Amino acid sequence: MANTTGSSAINHAELQELVKNYTCSDVALLLPVISEFTWAVEVRAFLYLLGLLWCFLAVAIIADVFMCSIERITSKTTIVRVPDANAEGGIRELEVKVWNDTVANLSLLALGTSAPEILLSCIEIIGNGFKAGELGPGTIVGSAAFNLLVISAICIVAIPEGEIRRIRSFKVFGVTAFTCIFAYVWLAIVLMAISPNVVDLWEAIVTFLMFPTLIIVAYIADKDFCMKKSKREEPGFVGISLEDKDTEERQPGPSSDENVRGDAELLTLAKELGHIEELPEEEAAKIAAKKIAENTSHNRGWYRINATRFFSGGKKLVPRVLTSFQDLADRKLYERIQLPEDERADHAKSITKNIDHSDGGRRPVIEFTAAAVAVMENEGKVRIGIRRHGKLDVPVTVRVETINGTALAGEDYKPFDEKVKFAANEILRQIYIEIVDDCEWEPDEFFFVKMAAEPDVDVAFGNIAICQVTIINDDEPGLLEFAKPSIVVKESSRLASIPVSRRNGADGHVSVTWKTKDITALNNKDYEGGEGTLKFDNQETSKTIDLPIFESNKPERDESFQIELLETDGGATLGKITKCIITIVNDEEFNGLVSRIVSLTKANLDSLQLEKSTYVTQFKDAMNVNGGDIENATFIDYILHFCTFFWKILFAFVPPTQYLGGWPTFIISLAVIGFLTAIIGDLATIFGCLIGLEKTITAITLVALGTSMPDTFASKTAATMEKYADSSVGNVNGSNSVNVFLGLGLPWVIASIYWTAKGDVFKVEAGSLGFSVVLYTVAAIIAISLFITRRFLGAFGKGELGGPNITKWISGAIMISLWVLYVVFSSLQAKKIINVQF
C-alpha cells in the first residue's frame, strides 16, 4: 500500500509539472493566463496569430488617440507683445506657436509613431529581470528596415506619371539621414567593438543623449543658425491640424490674413459647387470639405491617424463624396470642380451649357440644331434641323408646330403642325417649312417653331426647344445692332451673353468690331472685356458676344460697363442701337445657397478637428461605423468596425484631448500602448515558439510589419496628396534614429544602472542582432544614396519620389530587393545556416 501510494503521488506530481510546463508555456512575460496543456499546437498557433493581429488593430486605434493628444499639445500657442509704432498703444500682439515644427516632429510626433517599438523594448528588458532580450531590439531594426526600404519604395512608385515630390526641408533631411545611419553604426560599434557583448553605463548614457542632440542639431539646421539664411519655399507647419498653419507667427482672431484668405477660398469653392444644379447642398458641402482637407498640408501624424481609421472602419479625415460620381457624366463634373483657379474663366461659357437633360443617359433628349435661322424670301422654303442625344436605343416621337411672330401664317409662311418620328439609334431629322414670296418689299419678319411632347412619350427637351425663323428681304447685307440697349446679368450666371442682330438683309459674310468701356465695373476685375470682332456667315441673323463675369464677395452688387459696336465690314451698316449697358447684380437665391454650403462645410471641417472632442463624440464615433456617416460606409468599413468594436468602446473612456491641454490623454494612452505592447510581445514570442521561429526572425518580420502597417498606408497617401515628400519619406529617417536613441538607449540606461549598482555588467549578446544591424546599415547607405541621386539626377526627374516610369520602378525594385535580402540573410544567421562573425 505504501509503495502504491508513493507511486501515485509521484505520478500526480509529474502530471502537475507537465500541466504547468507544456510546450512554449514559459517563454513569455504575461501569457498564457490559463492552462493550454490540452490544446493542439496548431490550434494554439492559429489563436495566437489571430490575437496578435487583433492586438495590432488595438494598438493602432489607441495610437490614434495618442496622436490626437500630441496634436493638442503641439498646437499650443501663446501671446507675445512686441513694439510697433503703427499699432494702437505702440504694442502689437502676436500669437506664436510654443512648439517648433522640427522639435515637435522629432520628439512627440516621433514618439507617437514609434511608441509600440520603443515600449516593447523597454518592457522586454524589465520583464526579463533587466536582461537583454531579442524581440525588442529585433523589432526596432526590422521596423527601421521596413520603413526606410519598403515604405520608401511604395512612395516612389505611387506618384502619378510625370509628377515628382521633393523634400522641402532638405537640410533637416540631411541631418536625420546622417543620424539614421550613424545610429546603427554606433549600435554596431557598441555591441561588437568597444566592449563586445557588453553595454557599459557610459555607452548607454551616450546612446540616450543622442536623442536630445539630434533634436538640437535638427533645430539649428531648420533655423539656419550656422548657415546663410535663405528664403524657404514655404513655411513649415506643426501638429496634425486640418487648418493651414503656414506662418511661424500670426495675429490672433478671425480677422487675420490667414483666416480671411481661407474664408475667401471656401467661398469661391462654394460658388463653384453652387452652379451644379443637380448637386444637393449636403453633398456639395462634403465635396468642399474633401477638397480643403486634400489641399491642406498635413504631417506624418495626420496621415497615420487617417490610415488607422481606415483599418478600424472609423471616422475618416477626408469625407467621402457622392457615389453617383462613378458614372462618366458625374466624373466629368467632378473633374471640373478640380480645375485650377486660373483655368476656370476659360471654361465659363461651357459651364453654363453643360446640363445633362438625359438624366444620366436614361432619357432621350430632342432639340433643334440652332436657336435661330434665316431664310431669303425668294428661296421658297427653310430647312430646320432636329437632333437627338441621350438614350438612343428606343424610337421617339415629338410634335413640331409653328407660332406667329411678326410673320403671319398663310401670308408670309405656310403653317406647320406635324409629328416627327425618330427610329431607334436615329440622331438627326430635318423638316421644311414653305415661305411665301409676295414680291413686295417688307422689313425682316420672323416666326417661331416649337416642340411639344406627345402623350405617353418619355422624352426630354434640350436647351434649344424653340427656333426663331427670320424671313429676310432679298439681296441686302443688312444692318447690325444690339438687340437691346441694356442688359441685366446675375453674378451667378458667370457669363454675359450680349445679342447682336442682323436686320433687313442677310446676304454674304459681314463683321463688326466691338469694344468695352468701364463704368463702375472694372475690366479684368469684375468682367473680362477688351475688344474684338464679331463675324456673321451668309444668312446668319443672330450672334452673341460672350464676356465672362467674375464673382465678387460683395454683399450688394450693382456694377455696370458698356459695350459699343464700332466698324462694319462686308457691306453691312450699323443700326440704331450701337451701345449696350450691361449691369451686374447679385443673385439673392444663389447667394443663399452658397451661404448654406459654406455653413455646412465649416460644420464638416469642425467635426474633423482632431483635438476637438468630448466624451459624447468619442462614444458616438466608437459605436457607429464610419464615425456615424453611414451613407458613405462601405462593406469593408462594417467588417472592420465589427472586428474593432470592443477596442473602440474601451478606448472611448480615455479622457478627451480638450482637458488640461491634452496631457491626461497623452499619459493614459501611452500607458495603454505600453500594456498592449507587452501583450503583443508575449503573443509574438509564443507564436514564434509554437511554429519553431526564432525571436529575431519573428521580430524583423511579423512584429515589425504589424507595427509599421499604418505607417505604410499613411505614407502612400501623403506621397500622393502632398506637394512635398517630407510627410511621406522625409520623416522616416528621424523616426528610425529616435527608435535607436529612445528604444534602445532608454532601456539600456535602466538596465546598466541596475547591473552597475549590483557590481555587475549589462550583457547584450551581439549575435544575430549585430549581423542584422550591419545589414541594415549597408542597405540604409544605399537607400539614402539613391534618394540623393534621384534628387539631383535628371534621369530620375530630380525628385526623391516619382519621375519617369522606368526609373521610378527601377528605384522601387532596388529598395524592395534590399529589404528582401536583409530579411533573408538575417533569418539565415538566426537559424545558424550561415555564421558570420565580426
Side-chain angles (χ1 to χ4, degrees):
M1 286 294 294
N3 291 337
T4 304
T5 305
S7 176
S8 299
I10 291 173
N11 291 337
H12 181 71
E14 291 176 351
L15 181 61
Q16 290 281 18
E17 186 66 21
L18 286 174
V19 170
K20 290 181 181 179
N21 299 296
Y22 49 91
T23 304
C24 302
S25 63
D26 57 350
V27 295
L29 180 64
L30 302 175
L31 298 180
V33 294
I34 61 173
S35 176
E36 302 168 2
F37 174 70
T38 59
W39 299 9
V41 171
E42 295 79 6
V43 173
R44 292 177 63 201
F46 173 76
L47 292 177
Y48 275 99
L49 177 61
L50 197 64
L52 185 62
L53 298 177
W54 195 47
C55 285
F56 279 146
L57 290 175
V59 168
I61 294 171
I62 191 61
D64 179 343
V65 179
F66 186 56
M67 296 298 293
C68 289
S69 70
I70 293 174
E71 156 57 17
R72 178 70 172 182
I73 294 168
T74 56
S75 63
K76 181 179 176 58
T77 61
T78 186
I79 302 296
V80 297
R81 293 173 174 84
V82 296
D84 189 346
N86 298 323
E88 184 178 352
I91 298 294
R92 182 160 61 106
E93 290 188 347
L94 297 175
E95 184 180 6
V96 297
K97 294 181 292 184
V98 174
W99 286 79
N100 170 267
D101 303 351
T102 301
V103 173
N105 287 335
L106 286 177
S107 55
L108 290 182
L109 190 56
L111 177 62
T113 56
S114 303
E117 296 95 323
I118 294 171
L119 292 176
L120 177 61
S121 183
C122 294
I123 291 170
E124 184 182 35
I125 278 188
I126 297 173
N128 285 344
F130 299 98
K131 294 179 181 179
E134 298 179 36
L135 194 64
T139 300
I140 287 176
V141 181
S143 178
F146 185 86
N147 291 345
L148 180 60
L149 302 175
V150 177
I151 293 181
S152 296
I154 292 172
C155 291
I156 288 173
V157 301
I159 305 301
E161 184 178 359
E163 297 182 18
I164 64 168
R165 302 289 188 273
R166 290 170 63 88
I167 292 175
R168 179 183 58 189
S169 302
F170 193 70
K171 292 176 183 176
V172 175
F173 173 78
V175 171
T176 56
F178 171 77
T179 56
C180 173
I181 296 174
F182 174 75
Y184 292 88
V185 171
W186 169 253
L187 192 59
I189 292 173
V190 168
L191 293 177
M192 296 179 288
I194 299 176
S195 53
N197 301 321
V198 173
V199 175
D200 294 328
L201 180 58
W202 73 268
E203 293 174 328
I205 293 175
V206 169
T207 303
F208 179 74
L209 290 180
M210 286 181 182
F211 171 60
T213 303
L214 168 63
I215 295 175
I216 294 170
V217 173
Y219 177 75
I220 292 173
D222 180 59
K223 291 298 184 181
D224 286 334
F225 287 155
C226 299
M227 289 160 276
K228 182 179 178 181
K229 185 77 174 179
S230 60
K231 183 177 179 181
R232 296 176 64 177
E233 292 176 281
E234 182 178 316
F237 56 89
V238 68
I240 320 161
S241 176
L242 288 169
E243 297 178 359
D244 191 6
K245 299 178 180 177
D246 277 347
T247 54
E248 284 293 328
E249 57 181 39
R250 57 182 174 86
Q251 295 182 6
S255 60
S256 67
D257 292 341
E258 177 186 334
N259 291 339
V260 171
R261 184 169 62 252
D263 289 342
E265 292 174 356
L266 174 57
L267 184 61
T268 300
L269 179 58
K271 287 182 177 180
E272 295 283 352
L273 295 168
H275 285 290
I276 305 173
E277 295 184 355
E278 299 178 358
L279 186 65
E281 298 173 15
E282 295 79 6
E283 294 297 335
K286 288 180 181 179
I287 295 174
K290 180 178 187 293
K291 183 173 177 62
I292 291 172
E294 288 177 338
N295 290 350
T296 301
S297 288
H298 308 288
N299 67 4
R300 190 177 182 83
W302 186 92
Y303 288 103
R304 177 170 175 131
I305 291 175
N306 195 47
T308 298
R309 295 186 180 183
F310 169 79
F311 282 116
S312 62
K315 186 177 184 179
K316 310 301 185 295
L317 297 183
V318 178
R320 288 175 176 150
V321 297
L322 277 173
T323 54
S324 58
F325 278 1
Q326 296 174 3
D327 61 53
L328 179 61
D330 287 332
R331 280 202 305 271
K332 289 182 178 179
L333 195 60
Y334 185 72
E335 290 168 4
R336 165 67 191 96
I337 296 171
Q338 304 298 323
L339 283 176
E341 187 71 28
D342 56 357
E343 296 181 19
R344 292 176 183 168
D346 297 336
H347 293 264
K349 183 175 179 179
S350 63
I351 292 169
T352 60
K353 298 180 180 179
N354 188 24
I355 301 174
D356 184 11
H357 298 279
S358 67
D359 192 19
R362 291 187 287 271
R363 300 181 66 192
V365 180
I366 307 294
E367 63 180 350
F368 292 112
T369 56
V373 297
V375 59
M376 302 300 293
E377 189 178 61
N378 63 358
E379 288 188 4
K381 61 182 178 181
V382 60
R383 182 183 64 182
I384 298 175
I386 305 174
R387 64 187 172 198
R388 172 191 182 186
H389 56 91
K391 186 177 178 62
L392 300 177
D393 57 355
V394 294
V396 176
T397 301
V398 65
R399 180 171 293 279
V400 179
E401 57 186 352
T402 55
I403 301 175
N404 285 340
T406 56
L408 302 178
E411 296 181 11
D412 302 301
Y413 70 93
K414 292 187 177 181
F416 186 94
D417 186 0
E418 296 181 8
K419 295 180 181 179
V420 178
K421 298 181 179 180
F422 284 81
N425 297 315
E426 189 176 15
I427 60 174
L428 185 65
R429 291 295 306 272
Q430 295 176 343
I431 63 171
Y432 293 88
I433 300 176
E434 292 190 31
I435 304 299
V436 177
D437 188 357
D438 53 15
C439 299
E440 296 180 5
W441 186 91
E442 294 177 307
D444 294 348
E445 299 173 315
F446 62 88
F447 64 94
F448 300 96
V449 184
K450 63 167 287 189
M451 294 180 181
E454 287 290 288
D456 301 326
V457 176
D458 183 21
V459 63
F461 295 121
N463 294 330
I464 310 175
I466 297 178
C467 178
Q468 177 180 317
V469 181
T470 303
I471 305 173
I472 302 172
N473 188 32
D474 299 348
D475 304 325
E476 292 289 338
L479 303 174
L480 301 179
E481 63 180 0
F482 288 113
K484 299 177 181 179
S486 63
I487 296 175
V488 177
V489 179
K490 291 183 177 180
E491 181 187 58
S492 61
S493 66
R494 305 166 72 183
L495 195 71
S497 295
I498 306 147
V500 179
S501 300
R502 183 181 186 183
R503 307 183 188 278
N504 299 334
D507 185 45
H509 298 270
V510 299
S511 63
V512 60
T513 59
W514 56 268
K515 186 177 183 180
T516 61
K517 179 182 178 182
D518 294 348
I519 302 178
T520 56
L522 302 179
N523 184 25
N524 293 326
K525 180 180 179 183
D526 299 304
Y527 71 100
E528 185 179 325
E531 56 187 38
T533 301
L534 187 66
K535 297 180 180 180
F536 287 79
D537 291 331
N538 184 40
Q539 308 301 319
E540 195 171 18
T541 60
S542 179
K543 296 277 284 188
T544 60
I545 300 173
D546 295 326
L547 301 178
I549 301 297
F550 299 144
E551 294 174 333
S552 169
N553 295 330
K554 299 175 182 177
E556 296 292 336
R557 192 175 189 185
D558 186 0
E559 300 163 338
S560 58
F561 65 93
Q562 175 184 283
I563 184 169
E564 181 179 4
L565 300 179
L566 300 176
E567 298 179 357
T568 61
D569 191 17
T573 57
L574 292 176
K576 294 182 179 180
I577 310 175
T578 59
K579 296 180 180 180
C580 181
I581 304 296
I582 295 90
T583 303
I584 308 170
V585 298
N586 290 109
D587 187 339
E588 296 301 330
E589 181 180 354
F590 178 76
N591 286 346
L593 172 63
V594 170
S595 179
R596 292 192 295 274
I597 292 176
V598 169
S599 298
L600 288 170
T601 302
K602 288 184 176 180
N604 287 339
L605 290 174
D606 189 62
S607 67
L608 296 176
Q609 292 297 318
L610 298 176
E611 75 276 12
K612 295 180 180 179
S613 64
T614 63
Y615 269 118
V616 174
T617 57
Q618 284 186 179
F619 277 96
K620 178 184 174 183
D621 291 344
M623 298 182 71
N624 292 281
V625 64
N626 203 26
D629 186 12
I630 299 176
E631 290 183 6
N632 293 308
T634 64
F635 176 73
I636 298 297
D637 286 334
Y638 279 97
I639 297 297
L640 294 173
H641 177 69
F642 173 77
C643 293
T644 58
F645 183 77
F646 170 78
W647 297 121
K648 288 182 177 180
I649 295 298
L650 181 63
F651 300 150
F653 286 97
V654 176
T657 55
Q658 65 176 353
Y659 299 130
L660 300 178
W663 284 105
T665 313
F666 178 87
I667 295 170
I668 294 175
S669 56
L670 183 61
V672 174
I673 291 174
F675 175 75
L676 286 173
T677 300
I679 300 296
I680 286 176
D682 283 3
L683 290 168
T685 299
I686 297 175
F687 174 75
C689 175
L690 290 171
I691 64 173
L693 208 60
E694 282 72 8
K695 286 187 178 182
T696 300
I697 301 177
T698 304
I700 66 174
T701 55
L702 190 61
V703 181
L705 265 64
T707 56
S708 299
M709 201 52 62
D711 281 325
T712 305
F713 286 87
S715 294
K716 178 184 178 298
T717 306
T720 55
M721 285 178 56
E722 289 287 320
K723 293 167 56 179
Y724 301 100
D726 299 70
S727 295
S728 51
V729 298
N731 291 331
V732 168
N733 292 326
S735 179
N736 287 349
S737 304
V738 171
N739 278 356
V740 172
F741 301 150
L742 271 185
L744 293 181
L746 180 59
W748 280 3
V749 167
I750 296 172
S752 297
I753 292 174
Y754 174 82
W755 290 109
T756 301
K758 295 189 69 173
D760 204 344
V761 293
F762 176 43
K763 296 179 181 179
V764 180
E765 294 292 335
S768 57
L769 175 62
F771 181 71
S772 180
V773 168
V774 171
L775 283 178
Y776 167 78
T777 304
V778 173
I781 293 173
I782 297 174
I784 298 297
S785 301
L786 180 59
F787 272 129
I788 296 174
T789 303
R790 288 183 55 84
R791 183 179 180 88
F792 296 104
L793 200 60
F796 294 95
K798 291 189 175 182
E800 285 82 358
L801 306 182
N805 264 342
I806 295 177
T807 54
K808 79 176 183 182
W809 282 102
I810 291 175
S811 300
I814 291 173
M815 294 281 201
I816 295 294
S817 299
L818 288 173
W819 181 75
V820 171
L821 291 174
Y822 161 80
V823 171
V824 169
F825 281 106
S826 294
S827 300
L828 292 175
Q829 176 79 4
K831 284 285 189 181
K832 301 189 185 313
I833 296 176
I834 61 175
N835 186 19
V836 180
Q837 300 292 333
F838 293 96

